[in-house]
Amino acid sequence: MQLLDGKKLSAEVKAEIKVEVDKIKANGGKTPHLAAILVGNNGASETYVASKIKSCEEIGFKSTLISLPDTTSEAELLSHIQDLNFDEDIDGFIVQLPLPAHISENTIMEAVAPEKDVDGFHPINVGRMCKGLPAYISATPYGILEMLERYKIETAGKHCVVVGRSQIVGLPMSILMQRNAYPGNCTVTICHSRTHNLKEVCQSADILIAALGRPEFITADYVKEGAVVIDVGITRVPDATKKSGFAIKGDVKFDEVAPKSGYITPVPGGVGLMTICGLLTNTLLSSKKAIFK
């Protein structure tokens, strides 16, 4: 078993981005600027946004955080989004999910200008990705592709099973893994809550990507010997032994599954750190006008 070390890889990616940012600044170019809108005080979201801001500082990006109360109306949020859409100093921005129940996430995703949609959620970016055109790839799928590539994991001809069909991870991941590229060229099966023979399908996977949001759902009997296991899940589970009162768990029961795996990502320290790298990479691309001219 080999650990897919997100901490090590994310440090490599951020160092590479920093070199490029330093060159841009040295040549008198504009400092890349990432903004984030956070609505409410969801603890996990606050932690995640703080990590993004810290990463911006590490690599020399400019960052802006707009914190709004959970009573913010959809119209008020849309107004903030329009301000960022027209702010020429902002290269890209995100609206941290989940949003309060009274705000439509689809409406918000569609309101972000595609050229500043560094989360890769806008239908135009998703459509461009599906057609193989230049696009901002959703940050988590980007992070997974980087892991597979940097560890030189063979994907061509392999059976990839994606558990979870969310617009943010499962759906784009299934499309990217079957594309005629590396990583890609897999035969892809996408599973979800209505899949009757889920365990049997997972057992056939050479590459298993778990993105269903159910802590430790994937146990050893779901995984075939030597499979590549990518755990996208990150859930806070109550744990009285921890100072914080909770533990972070993935969708995979790591201690059980790791001995059977050829490669596996830990949680924390795996996909989550690479997701931030995806966001930073997209922001750099935006600052260079590399996707939308």
Side-chain angles (χ1 to χ4, degrees), residues 62-76:
K62 185 177 177 182
S63 63
T64 297
L65 173 61
I66 300 169
S67 295
L68 303 172
D70 57 12
T71 54
T72 300
S73 69
E74 185 171 286
E76 288 170 330

Side-chain angles (χ1 to χ4, degrees), residues 1-110:
M1 184 274 291
Q2 186 170 353
L3 200 67
L4 297 173
D5 188 345
K7 187 174 182 180
K8 172 178 170 287
L9 290 186
S10 66
E12 288 177 7
V13 174
K14 286 195 283 190
E16 291 165 8
I17 294 174
K18 187 177 187 308
V19 168
E20 194 159 353
V21 173
D22 288 345
K23 286 180 181 177
I24 290 170
K25 291 180 178 179
N27 292 327
K30 176 187 170 299
T31 300
H33 189 172
L34 173 67
I37 300 177
L38 179 62
V39 184
N41 50 10
N42 177 292
S45 292
E46 288 176 341
T47 300
Y48 195 39
V49 169
S51 295
K52 293 172 181 176
I53 299 299
K54 182 182 177 185
S55 294
C56 285
E57 293 172 359
E58 290 173 359
I59 63 172
F61 278 15
K62 185 177 177 182
S63 63
T64 297
L65 173 61
I66 300 169
S67 295
L68 303 172
D70 57 12
T71 54
T72 300
S73 69
E74 185 171 286
E76 288 170 330
L77 179 53
L78 287 170
S79 177
H80 282 284
I81 288 170
Q82 282 300 95
D83 289 343
L84 294 178
N85 281 340
F86 288 106
D87 186 338
E88 293 185 3
D89 193 55
I90 301 289
D91 295 299
F93 68 95
I94 64 161
V95 181
Q96 183 64 38
L97 303 179
L99 291 168
H102 64 278
I103 298 175
S104 165
E105 291 187 355
N106 281 334
T107 298
I108 297 308
M109 286 182 199
E110 291 182 25

Side-chain angles (χ1 to χ4, degrees), residues 268-290:
V271 173
L273 294 171
M274 293 302 294
T275 295
I276 294 175
C277 289
L279 181 66
L280 300 174
T281 298
N282 282 343
T283 303
L284 181 61
L285 290 171
S286 178
S287 74
K288 295 161 64 178
K289 304 291 188 288

Side-chain angles (χ1 to χ4, degrees), residues 100-170:
H102 64 278
I103 298 175
S104 165
E105 291 187 355
N106 281 334
T107 298
I108 297 308
M109 286 182 199
E110 291 182 25
V112 177
E115 63 272 17
K116 294 191 177 186
D117 168 42
V118 289
D119 252 338
F121 294 163
H122 194 284
I124 287 178
N125 276 310
V126 175
R128 289 171 68 102
M129 178 199 71
C130 290
K131 289 184 67 66
L133 297 171
Y136 298 123
I137 296 173
S138 298
T140 298
Y142 165 88
I144 294 169
L145 294 178
E146 279 291 302
M147 284 186 137
L148 293 171
E149 184 172 357
R150 287 176 184 253
Y151 274 91
K152 299 179 171 58
I153 293 171
E154 183 58 58
T155 61
K158 303 296 184 181
H159 183 203
C160 175
V161 174
V162 181
V163 187
R165 54 181 168 181
S166 74
Q167 296 177 46
I168 295 170
V169 181

